Amino acid sequence: MWTGFWSLNRLSAGLALVLAGLSLSACASTSSLDDLAGATPTGSAFTQALFKNYSYLAHSFGNGAPSGSSFDAEGAVSIFDDSGEASTLAEAFATKAMIAAHGVEPAPEPSIDGASAAARDRLLQALADGKDRFPTDAARAQTDFDCWMLNSAVDSQHAAADQCRASFGNSIARLEHDLHPPVTAAPPPPAAPTANYTVYFEFNSWSLSGEQLTVLQQAIATARTGGQSRIAVVGHTDTAGEADYNQKLSLKRADVVTEALVDMGARREAIQVSGVGESDLAVPTPDGVKEPKNRRSVITLLP
């Protein structure tokens, strides 16, 4: 059974040790690749996922490769080669698949250099934490690593090794993300909405009535509960009278509202006061028209 495997002396010693210790009843007459067809995997979700992945790799060589076969549905790894060495690689992947089929966890392949040694340490740490919690992603990371290591041992398979190495980079990152998802900062609280209140004045007056004071109390209450921290007060007039006089009158209307708000608890430094005279009419009118809805002060609560 193992003649072809042992002839490929560049395959990892770690896999050779696994093979040497493996006792399968079919070993005396068939290869592991032959055994895959009738294998029914047992064991944990992790070993069953390993069996599936190693089986895909074992059938990704030469004439044994199913049409369009690949490591997974996304086609991240797809290996085709007709060489004798590749046939032996297929047997190596099949052997690891059969180990997993019996519910045994085959160890990841030994590393071959500094980069792969660091990658293997990273893999072992992630497997220790994740093989039971995220068995599918953990099995994918291990199989990608073994694909990288075993193909690296064969000169004709270096392109495949590079492909498996790239796939390992993605799969180990996905497993680590599973284990340690990034903490998402809580979104900032929504800004307090703006709110407008309007008080109206008699002709040529800047005095507030009791009814208008009630409106200002509502504005203060809204600011306290809604979180608004700034207030804009803008005085207005109608078009009756001279424009210069109306400008001054509008500012008086804004000032009297401001004083009332301060008396009710608003901070004076938080209030912006302005008067715009007859330049911003609520109800457009010709010059010289007395319009009650234009004689006003508008209080805007701002975040």
Side-chain angles (χ1 to χ4, degrees):
M1 171 182 177
W2 307 122
T3 303
F5 175 78
W6 294 115
S7 67
L8 185 57
N9 55 18
R10 296 188 64 189
L11 282 182
S12 71
L15 181 56
L17 291 174
V18 170
L19 292 174
L22 181 63
S23 297
L24 296 176
S25 61
C27 188
S29 59
T30 63
S31 70
S32 292
L33 198 58
D34 294 331
D35 292 338
L36 285 181
T40 301
T42 60
S44 66
F46 175 60
T47 59
Q48 291 185 53
L50 285 175
F51 169 79
K52 178 181 177 181
N53 293 350
Y54 286 128
S55 295
Y56 267 117
L57 287 176
H59 287 104
S60 292
F61 296 90
N63 295 330
S67 176
S69 70
S70 63
F71 193 151
D72 61 356
E74 299 173 356
V77 177
S78 181
I79 305 168
F80 299 93
D81 193 291
D82 287 316
S83 70
E85 289 181 331
S87 298
T88 308
L89 275 174
E91 179 65 18
F93 287 123
T95 299
K96 300 203 81 164
M98 290 306 300
I99 295 172
H102 285 72
V104 178
E105 298 178 6
E109 290 298 299
S111 57
I112 57 174
D113 54 23
S116 60
R120 190 176 192 273
D121 289 343
R122 181 181 172 187
L123 172 64
L124 291 175
Q125 179 62 52
L127 289 178
D129 296 337
K131 66 182 179 181
D132 295 326
R133 295 166 57 195
F134 307 101
T136 300
D137 286 349
R140 178 59 192 264
Q142 174 167 331
T143 320
D144 278 340
F145 181 81
D146 285 352
C147 183
W148 170 19
M149 293 299 98
L150 290 173
N151 279 285
S152 293
V154 179
D155 290 339
S156 63
Q157 294 296 103
H158 285 178
D162 291 341
Q163 190 178 10
C164 295
R165 180 176 183 174
S167 188
F168 171 75
N170 293 331
S171 58
I172 190 66
R174 183 165 57 248
L175 177 57
E176 290 170 340
H177 182 278
D178 292 340
L179 292 166
H180 308 289
V183 178
T184 303
T194 60
N196 292 327
Y197 294 84
T198 303
V199 294
Y200 296 96
F201 297 87
E202 297 296 327
F203 177 70
N204 199 29
S205 169
W206 58 91
S207 298
L208 291 169
S209 67
E211 181 181 354
Q212 307 306 335
L213 289 174
T214 299
V215 174
L216 297 183
Q217 289 171 343
Q218 292 173 348
I220 288 293
T222 299
R224 286 172 176 163
T225 58
Q228 292 89 348
S229 59
R230 297 177 295 132
I231 302 175
V233 179
V234 182
H236 301 261
T237 70
D238 57 24
T239 60
E242 297 295 329
D244 288 345
Y245 178 83
N246 285 339
Q247 174 62 38
K248 295 175 183 177
L249 177 59
S250 68
L251 187 55
K252 289 180 180 179
R253 288 172 174 169
D255 285 339
V256 73
V257 168
T258 298
E259 293 304 319
L261 291 172
V262 171
D263 288 343
M264 293 175 183
R267 294 182 299 112
R268 188 181 299 275
E269 60 271 21
I271 303 176
Q272 179 182 346
V273 185
S274 61
V276 296
E278 58 185 65
S279 65
D280 184 14
L281 301 175
V283 179
T285 68
D287 189 34
V289 176
K290 298 178 181 179
E291 171 53 57
K293 290 185 178 179
N294 288 336
R295 300 193 297 262
R296 71 202 192 279
S297 283
V298 178
I299 303 94
T300 303
L301 308 181
L302 302 168

